[in-house]
Amino acid sequence: MTTKSEGILLVLSSPSGAGKTTILERLLEQSTDLVRSVSVTTRKPRLGEVNGKDYFFVTEEKFHELCKAGQMLEYAKVFENFYGIPKDFIEQNLSNGISVLLSIDWQGAFHLFKLMREKIVSIFILPPSMEELRLRLQRRNSDSASEIERRLAEAQKEMNKRDKYDYIIINDNIDKSIEEISSILAKERLKRSKEKL
Ligand code: 5GP
């Protein structure tokens, strides 16, 4: 008997500097049945960002058109720009059994929990410690001391929400974190396919 389960919406959140981007890229590289959701934004592309890969960059007018047409699963205004998750992309993949990875902050994640909790597996990625997070941000060498302090305060706020996630992972080793996430996904897929029998 073959039973095809729906894909899982894998929601990953973490404070910046915890290593989420590397984990995410490696996870996508090694999985054939996992795709990344690309959000739509009215923000201007940063140097090196690619339309369709990092975001779909649109005008504010187009963004509002998409919202009006019901094509956003959720959206938010962050600072001066709008960001939204394209609904069709997520729904089509999930119904074809493909899981979708969404990297989003806690506010976006909580919004999605209200909309479709049963389709979501959520993972919060923690840095090994605040001290390590500070070192990682300093090593990136891209931010001033005051910017680093601001990011650390933001990180603490973000981390205070971790208990609402299904799983918490401490990223003290990238390979171990990837293994943990892969086994969570495998376990959750199995659980869902058993529920369908
Ligand atoms: P950035 O402009 O630095 O790429 O992203 C700014 C913020 O927007 C980040 O906190 C990011 O998590 C959030 N963001 C990106 N895409 C979405 C989305 O589709 N929905 C929501 N609610 N937030 C998003």
Side-chain angles (χ1 to χ4, degrees):
M1 188 166 79
T2 54
T3 48
K4 195 166 176 219
S5 324
E6 269 210 331
I8 289 169
L9 187 55
L10 182 64
V11 171
L12 291 188
S13 301
S14 82
S16 82
K20 183 174 64 171
T21 309
T22 315
I23 292 178
L24 204 137
E25 282 168 359
R26 295 257 307 266
L27 263 179
L28 289 164
E29 256 170 42
Q30 67 179 48
S31 330
T32 50
D33 46 6
L34 182 68
V35 293
R36 182 183 185 172
S37 168
V38 178
S39 290
V40 180
T41 184
T42 59
R43 168 165 80 60
K44 297 272 172 291
R46 295 189 187 119
L47 200 68
E49 282 185 331
V50 178
N51 189 37
K53 180 174 172 275
D54 299 289
Y55 284 105
F56 291 105
F57 297 98
V58 298
T59 60
E60 208 160 299
E61 192 187 357
K62 176 75 183 166
F63 191 92
H64 292 304
E65 251 175 51
L66 291 169
C67 291
K68 256 203 211 145
Q71 289 191 32
M72 293 297 190
L73 191 56
E74 70 88 35
Y75 68 91
K77 192 172 187 185
V78 184
F79 302 115
E80 288 309 298
N81 301 299
F82 289 95
Y83 296 83
I85 301 170
K87 191 172 175 180
D88 283 358
F89 178 84
I90 305 262
E91 287 183 347
Q92 277 167 19
N93 276 296
L94 294 185
S95 62
N96 286 331
I98 308 281
S99 294
V100 180
L101 194 154
L102 245 178
S103 161
I104 198 169
D105 65 1
W106 70 268
Q107 294 184 47
F110 282 23
H111 203 166
L112 288 178
F113 293 169
K114 281 197 199 134
L115 284 177
M116 48 198 303
R117 193 66 185 90
E118 74 289 355
K119 295 189 180 179
I120 294 176
V121 172
S122 56
I123 303 179
F124 197 94
I125 301 169
L126 282 176
S129 65
M130 280 311 267
E131 215 22 63
E132 177 62 26
L133 185 62
R134 180 189 295 277
L135 284 175
R136 287 182 187 179
L137 290 173
Q138 284 167 348
R139 262 186 244 128
R140 289 210 298 211
N141 234 348
S142 56
D143 301 316
S144 63
S146 64
E147 179 62 16
I148 289 177
E149 289 312 313
R150 194 188 66 77
R151 282 180 186 269
L152 285 171
E154 272 301 307
Q156 190 58 61
K157 261 208 279 181
E158 180 92 16
M159 287 193 289
N160 290 343
K161 309 289 178 188
R162 63 181 180 265
D163 290 346
K164 294 278 191 291
Y165 287 69
D166 300 318
Y167 299 91
I168 299 174
I169 279 185
I170 300 172
N171 183 27
D172 47 10
N173 174 299
I174 295 269
D175 291 327
K176 177 174 85 60
S177 300
I178 292 170
E179 240 171 66
E180 284 174 358
I181 297 176
S182 302
S183 69
I184 289 171
L185 250 184
K187 187 177 87 179
E188 293 284 347
R189 281 190 176 124
L190 196 62
K191 216 158 87 181
R192 282 161 168 78
S193 62
K194 272 163 92 183
E195 279 162 9
K196 284 204 92 184
L197 286 177

